[in-house]
Amino acid sequence: MKTLRLLLGDQLNSEHSWFKKVDTNVVYLMAEMRQETDYVKHHIQKVVGFFLAMRSFAETLRSKGHTVVYRKIGDKDNPQDLGTLLEQCIAQNNAEKFEYQLPDEYRLDKQLKEICRSLPIPSEAFDTEHFYTTRNELGDFFGKKQLLMESFYRMMRKKHNVLMINGQPEGGQWNFDQNNRKKWTGNPKIPREITFSKNVGTLVEEIAKVGVKTFGKINTEAFNWPVSRDENLQLLDFFCEHLLENFGDYQDAMHTEEKFLFHSRLSFAMNSKMLSPREVIDTVLEHYRTHQKEITISQVEGFVRQIIGWREYMRGVYWKEMPNYAQYNKLDNHNPLPHFFWTGDTKMNCLKHAITQSLDHAYAHHIQRLMIIGNYALLTQTHPDEVDQWYLGVYVDAIEWVEITNTRGMSQFADGGLLATKPYVSSANYIHKMGNYCKGCFYQHNVKTGEKACPFNALYWNFLNEKRPFLENNPRMSMMFSLLDKKSKNEMEQLQARAIEVMTHPDRF
Ligand SMILES: Cc1cc2nc3c(=O)[nH]c(=O)nc-3n(C[C@H](O)[C@H](O)[C@H](O)COP(=O)(O)OP(=O)(O)OC[C@H]3O[C@@H](n4cnc5c(N)ncnc54)[C@H](O)[C@@H]3O)c2cc1C
Ligand code: SF4
């Protein structure tokens, strides 16, 4: 039976069972489409990264003998929308059956189900064979109980026998989070990053010519994201060889001179499925086993937790809670996103660095996303829709299932605590403790009121005060509220006045 198989841009899993043998009756369809470039305004590096990875994947399939129909963004016969594209390709290839892999985004899942209902031929959906968990596994595990990442994580460790010895966690404890909080002050030295320099001038012109609106910077002569399985395997090896031994310790550190520190940069590789989380974990564990003199358990556990813990947890929460999740605004926040999110033009040094780096490289590490940019957006009571749009566009790894759960849930607490146990908010104290941003800042981290006072301080206390009705019953917040209650009326009035000034005129600060 002549079959048309769709491969979406984030389904670049060359190890999928579909590709085990060449079947001359199967045509694979891949397409760069305006419906995907335009559902949110993306960073130019994200569009280039995905298109290059898709083109490279199509070539790999062809080189193995598979038949691939590929529509480039500028092709005249590209209808730019999935429904029309499928009708066209089914007719052109005389397909008698349509097959696709389950999309990771709710939006595409819904669209494909609708398209399939109106197709003249039968259709079938297949697993992507990528994640450890199925879509519903987290929902089944928790049932009606309150979600908790830690219990999900322990279940995953046991179920997949990761860092377990005789049913007990290796190293005697499940979680070494307390060890993962060192500030980086120049030592240990950060190895020179591995680069994947490519000239992408022609592709950037192609994208601009059809009118796709993007933002952010790109070095067209030296595009640096790995876009094939081979390149990503090199990145994984580099991580094991050079970064893993310090990963856990400096996971939360921030530094003006180092954008990657000891982070792996593997999120794009995994989210596009060029690498599977299982092979990443297996490779890291294998390296750890053979290098136990240099690498301690807390470095490895810190990494494992991010992938079999947080990453799978986010996916599970997404499928459990969508589509309602995308509407949540439980803290009732309504301010617009400041203009400086698009320029990096602010006197607040931490935000200037984290945002400029995001605009220049389509990358920021977790703590920059959570405790600098997200912290500020939440403290300034920004509407979660605006925060989501920005995060979904700016990072090369941003795909809704993992972006929205991190942004709306973990960072903005807009789900009212469904995913995280408390809002991730802090004053300047935390930012000063974990990095060197405050050193070169116009503001002073330890000053609360007056012209030089760090805006994070007034915003923090004002946020606790204003959002108290939503948060005061949360036991994990009680310490913060008891400190708030110790503030004098006069101090509170000054803090509130400054916070209102920052929220009303964010671009003046
Ligand atoms: C507000 C906010 C938005 C985020 N948006 C995204 C997003 O759109 N896409 C995305 O992949 N990650 C997102 N994250 C999670 C995390 O910041 C990135 O996965 C990480 O920074 C990617 O860089 P890395 O590969 O160097 O990560 P490393 O620090 O090296 O971590 C290793 C891997 O663990 C996984 N991981 C780590 N933390 C998380 C997490 N919280 N959720 C899911 N997976 C995690 C990633 O796959 C990552 O590649 C977001 C976090 C926050 C706070
Ligand atoms: S002083 Fe405040 S604004 Fe400046 S870097 Fe520190 S935390 Fe950020």
Side-chain angles (χ1 to χ4, degrees), residues 143-159:
K144 291 205 163 58
K145 282 194 279 183
Q146 163 75 40
L147 309 182
L148 189 65
M149 201 311 263
E150 188 62 27
S151 41
F152 174 79
Y153 171 54
R154 290 181 190 189
M155 175 279 284
M156 292 289 288
R157 289 264 300 273
K158 284 188 234 165
K159 181 172 173 185

PDB file of all heavy atoms in Angstrom, residues 143-159:
ATOM      1  N   GLY A 143      -2.673  10.533  39.506  1.00  0.00           N
ATOM      2  CA  GLY A 143      -4.132  10.465  39.655  1.00  0.00           C
ATOM      3  C   GLY A 143      -4.666  11.806  40.104  1.00  0.00           C
ATOM      4  O   GLY A 143      -4.370  12.837  39.495  1.00  0.00           O
ATOM      5  N   LYS A 144      -5.399  11.810  41.206  1.00  0.00           N
ATOM      6  CA  LYS A 144      -5.977  13.082  41.695  1.00  0.00           C
ATOM      7  C   LYS A 144      -5.052  13.768  42.706  1.00  0.00           C
ATOM      8  O   LYS A 144      -5.376  14.817  43.247  1.00  0.00           O
ATOM      9  CB  LYS A 144      -7.336  12.814  42.352  1.00  0.00           C
ATOM     10  CG  LYS A 144      -8.405  12.394  41.352  1.00  0.00           C
ATOM     11  CD  LYS A 144      -9.788  12.722  41.888  1.00  0.00           C
ATOM     12  CE  LYS A 144     -10.864  12.732  40.846  1.00  0.00           C
ATOM     13  NZ  LYS A 144     -11.056  11.502  40.087  1.00  0.00           N
ATOM     14  N   LYS A 145      -3.914  13.136  42.992  1.00  0.00           N
ATOM     15  CA  LYS A 145      -3.004  13.692  44.013  1.00  0.00           C
ATOM     16  C   LYS A 145      -2.276  14.943  43.506  1.00  0.00           C
ATOM     17  O   LYS A 145      -2.111  15.147  42.302  1.00  0.00           O
ATOM     18  CB  LYS A 145      -1.958  12.637  44.397  1.00  0.00           C
ATOM     19  CG  LYS A 145      -2.534  11.582  45.367  1.00  0.00           C
ATOM     20  CD  LYS A 145      -1.425  10.781  45.998  1.00  0.00           C
ATOM     21  CE  LYS A 145      -0.981   9.725  45.079  1.00  0.00           C
ATOM     22  NZ  LYS A 145      -0.124   8.759  45.116  1.00  0.00           N
ATOM     23  N   GLN A 146      -1.799  15.767  44.433  1.00  0.00           N
ATOM     24  CA  GLN A 146      -0.982  16.946  44.097  1.00  0.00           C
ATOM     25  C   GLN A 146       0.304  16.501  43.386  1.00  0.00           C
ATOM     26  O   GLN A 146       0.966  15.550  43.823  1.00  0.00           O
ATOM     27  CB  GLN A 146      -0.652  17.684  45.409  1.00  0.00           C
ATOM     28  CG  GLN A 146       0.487  18.673  45.360  1.00  0.00           C
ATOM     29  CD  GLN A 146       0.114  19.978  44.659  1.00  0.00           C
ATOM     30  OE1 GLN A 146      -0.989  20.500  44.827  1.00  0.00           O
ATOM     31  NE2 GLN A 146       1.039  20.491  43.857  1.00  0.00           N
ATOM     32  N   LEU A 147       0.643  17.165  42.298  1.00  0.00           N
ATOM     33  CA  LEU A 147       1.863  16.813  41.573  1.00  0.00           C
ATOM     34  C   LEU A 147       3.089  17.200  42.395  1.00  0.00           C
ATOM     35  O   LEU A 147       3.071  18.222  43.074  1.00  0.00           O
ATOM     36  CB  LEU A 147       1.934  17.563  40.234  1.00  0.00           C
ATOM     37  CG  LEU A 147       0.740  17.512  39.298  1.00  0.00           C
ATOM     38  CD1 LEU A 147       1.040  18.265  38.012  1.00  0.00           C
ATOM     39  CD2 LEU A 147       0.379  16.074  38.982  1.00  0.00           C
ATOM     40  N   LEU A 148       4.121  16.392  42.304  1.00  0.00           N
ATOM     41  CA  LEU A 148       5.369  16.728  42.993  1.00  0.00           C
ATOM     42  C   LEU A 148       6.522  16.137  42.189  1.00  0.00           C
ATOM     43  O   LEU A 148       6.597  14.915  42.043  1.00  0.00           O
ATOM     44  CB  LEU A 148       5.346  16.157  44.418  1.00  0.00           C
ATOM     45  CG  LEU A 148       6.487  16.620  45.320  1.00  0.00           C
ATOM     46  CD1 LEU A 148       6.413  18.117  45.594  1.00  0.00           C
ATOM     47  CD2 LEU A 148       6.465  15.849  46.646  1.00  0.00           C
ATOM     48  N   MET A 149       7.390  16.997  41.692  1.00  0.00           N
ATOM     49  CA  MET A 149       8.470  16.531  40.829  1.00  0.00           C
ATOM     50  C   MET A 149       9.320  15.479  41.517  1.00  0.00           C
ATOM     51  O   MET A 149       9.690  14.477  40.929  1.00  0.00           O
ATOM     52  CB  MET A 149       9.313  17.743  40.418  1.00  0.00           C
ATOM     53  CG  MET A 149      10.151  17.619  39.182  1.00  0.00           C
ATOM     54  SD  MET A 149      11.204  16.221  38.926  1.00  0.00           S
ATOM     55  CE  MET A 149      12.789  16.821  39.484  1.00  0.00           C
ATOM     56  N   GLU A 150       9.609  15.682  42.794  1.00  0.00           N
ATOM     57  CA  GLU A 150      10.508  14.773  43.492  1.00  0.00           C
ATOM     58  C   GLU A 150       9.969  13.336  43.510  1.00  0.00           C
ATOM     59  O   GLU A 150      10.721  12.384  43.285  1.00  0.00           O
ATOM     60  CB  GLU A 150      10.771  15.297  44.916  1.00  0.00           C
ATOM     61  CG  GLU A 150      11.828  14.552  45.698  1.00  0.00           C
ATOM     62  CD  GLU A 150      13.244  14.589  45.104  1.00  0.00           C
ATOM     63  OE1 GLU A 150      13.585  15.547  44.393  1.00  0.00           O
ATOM     64  OE2 GLU A 150      14.011  13.628  45.353  1.00  0.00           O
ATOM     65  N   SER A 151       8.673  13.161  43.743  1.00  0.00           N
ATOM     66  CA  SER A 151       8.177  11.777  43.774  1.00  0.00           C
ATOM     67  C   SER A 151       8.141  11.188  42.367  1.00  0.00           C
ATOM     68  O   SER A 151       8.401   9.987  42.179  1.00  0.00           O
ATOM     69  CB  SER A 151       6.821  11.649  44.479  1.00  0.00           C
ATOM     70  OG  SER A 151       5.974  12.681  44.137  1.00  0.00           O
ATOM     71  N   PHE A 152       7.843  12.006  41.362  1.00  0.00           N
ATOM     72  CA  PHE A 152       7.895  11.535  39.975  1.00  0.00           C
ATOM     73  C   PHE A 152       9.324  11.102  39.633  1.00  0.00           C
ATOM     74  O   PHE A 152       9.558  10.035  39.052  1.00  0.00           O
ATOM     75  CB  PHE A 152       7.431  12.667  39.048  1.00  0.00           C
ATOM     76  CG  PHE A 152       7.575  12.366  37.588  1.00  0.00           C
ATOM     77  CD1 PHE A 152       6.645  11.577  36.932  1.00  0.00           C
ATOM     78  CD2 PHE A 152       8.643  12.874  36.857  1.00  0.00           C
ATOM     79  CE1 PHE A 152       6.775  11.294  35.571  1.00  0.00           C
ATOM     80  CE2 PHE A 152       8.791  12.595  35.506  1.00  0.00           C
ATOM     81  CZ  PHE A 152       7.844  11.807  34.867  1.00  0.00           C
ATOM     82  N   TYR A 153      10.265  11.925  40.036  1.00  0.00           N
ATOM     83  CA  TYR A 153      11.679  11.670  39.742  1.00  0.00           C
ATOM     84  C   TYR A 153      12.146  10.351  40.371  1.00  0.00           C
ATOM     85  O   TYR A 153      12.820   9.538  39.735  1.00  0.00           O
ATOM     86  CB  TYR A 153      12.494  12.861  40.251  1.00  0.00           C
ATOM     87  CG  TYR A 153      13.991  12.704  40.224  1.00  0.00           C
ATOM     88  CD1 TYR A 153      14.662  12.347  39.066  1.00  0.00           C
ATOM     89  CD2 TYR A 153      14.754  12.940  41.380  1.00  0.00           C
ATOM     90  CE1 TYR A 153      16.044  12.228  39.050  1.00  0.00           C
ATOM     91  CE2 TYR A 153      16.131  12.823  41.369  1.00  0.00           C
ATOM     92  CZ  TYR A 153      16.773  12.457  40.200  1.00  0.00           C
ATOM     93  OH  TYR A 153      18.143  12.338  40.190  1.00  0.00           O
ATOM     94  N   ARG A 154      11.749  10.127  41.610  1.00  0.00           N
ATOM     95  CA  ARG A 154      12.158   8.873  42.275  1.00  0.00           C
ATOM     96  C   ARG A 154      11.538   7.664  41.580  1.00  0.00           C
ATOM     97  O   ARG A 154      12.198   6.632  41.415  1.00  0.00           O
ATOM     98  CB  ARG A 154      11.748   8.907  43.750  1.00  0.00           C
ATOM     99  CG  ARG A 154      12.583   9.908  44.518  1.00  0.00           C
ATOM    100  CD  ARG A 154      12.225   9.949  45.976  1.00  0.00           C
ATOM    101  NE  ARG A 154      12.909  11.086  46.584  1.00  0.00           N
ATOM    102  CZ  ARG A 154      12.967  11.334  47.877  1.00  0.00           C
ATOM    103  NH1 ARG A 154      12.374  10.513  48.721  1.00  0.00           N
ATOM    104  NH2 ARG A 154      13.608  12.379  48.338  1.00  0.00           N
ATOM    105  N   MET A 155      10.282   7.806  41.173  1.00  0.00           N
ATOM    106  CA  MET A 155       9.635   6.720  40.434  1.00  0.00           C
ATOM    107  C   MET A 155      10.429   6.436  39.153  1.00  0.00           C
ATOM    108  O   MET A 155      10.709   5.286  38.820  1.00  0.00           O
ATOM    109  CB  MET A 155       8.185   7.134  40.112  1.00  0.00           C
ATOM    110  CG  MET A 155       7.392   6.169  39.247  1.00  0.00           C
ATOM    111  SD  MET A 155       7.707   6.286  37.493  1.00  0.00           S
ATOM    112  CE  MET A 155       6.819   7.772  37.033  1.00  0.00           C
ATOM    113  N   MET A 156      10.843   7.501  38.453  1.00  0.00           N
ATOM    114  CA  MET A 156      11.578   7.337  37.195  1.00  0.00           C
ATOM    115  C   MET A 156      12.935   6.669  37.421  1.00  0.00           C
ATOM    116  O   MET A 156      13.356   5.811  36.652  1.00  0.00           O
ATOM    117  CB  MET A 156      11.792   8.703  36.522  1.00  0.00           C
ATOM    118  CG  MET A 156      10.535   9.343  36.003  1.00  0.00           C
ATOM    119  SD  MET A 156       9.875   8.496  34.563  1.00  0.00           S
ATOM    120  CE  MET A 156      11.068   8.972  33.309  1.00  0.00           C
ATOM    121  N   ARG A 157      13.614   7.087  38.487  1.00  0.00           N
ATOM    122  CA  ARG A 157      14.925   6.485  38.787  1.00  0.00           C
ATOM    123  C   ARG A 157      14.765   4.982  39.008  1.00  0.00           C
ATOM    124  O   ARG A 157      15.565   4.174  38.529  1.00  0.00           O
ATOM    125  CB  ARG A 157      15.531   7.138  40.037  1.00  0.00           C
ATOM    126  CG  ARG A 157      16.001   8.567  39.857  1.00  0.00           C
ATOM    127  CD  ARG A 157      17.482   8.656  39.548  1.00  0.00           C
ATOM    128  NE  ARG A 157      18.356   8.113  40.549  1.00  0.00           N
ATOM    129  CZ  ARG A 157      18.838   8.774  41.611  1.00  0.00           C
ATOM    130  NH1 ARG A 157      18.498  10.040  41.793  1.00  0.00           N
ATOM    131  NH2 ARG A 157      19.661   8.202  42.463  1.00  0.00           N
ATOM    132  N   LYS A 158      13.729   4.617  39.774  1.00  0.00           N
ATOM    133  CA  LYS A 158      13.530   3.188  40.080  1.00  0.00           C
ATOM    134  C   LYS A 158      13.110   2.443  38.822  1.00  0.00           C
ATOM    135  O   LYS A 158      13.678   1.418  38.476  1.00  0.00           O
ATOM    136  CB  LYS A 158      12.438   3.030  41.152  1.00  0.00           C
ATOM    137  CG  LYS A 158      12.911   3.388  42.558  1.00  0.00           C
ATOM    138  CD  LYS A 158      11.840   3.009  43.566  1.00  0.00           C
ATOM    139  CE  LYS A 158      11.507   4.209  44.410  1.00  0.00           C
ATOM    140  NZ  LYS A 158      10.311   4.176  45.181  1.00  0.00           N
ATOM    141  N   LYS A 159      12.114   2.989  38.142  1.00  0.00           N
ATOM    142  CA  LYS A 159      11.554   2.300  36.975  1.00  0.00           C
ATOM    143  C   LYS A 159      12.613   2.054  35.900  1.00  0.00           C
ATOM    144  O   LYS A 159      12.648   0.996  35.280  1.00  0.00           O
ATOM    145  CB  LYS A 159      10.399   3.126  36.400  1.00  0.00           C
ATOM    146  CG  LYS A 159       9.754   2.466  35.213  1.00  0.00           C
ATOM    147  CD  LYS A 159       8.501   3.169  34.765  1.00  0.00           C
ATOM    148  CE  LYS A 159       8.019   2.526  33.470  1.00  0.00           C
ATOM    149  NZ  LYS A 159       6.881   3.200  32.892  1.00  0.00           N
TER     150      LYS A 159
END
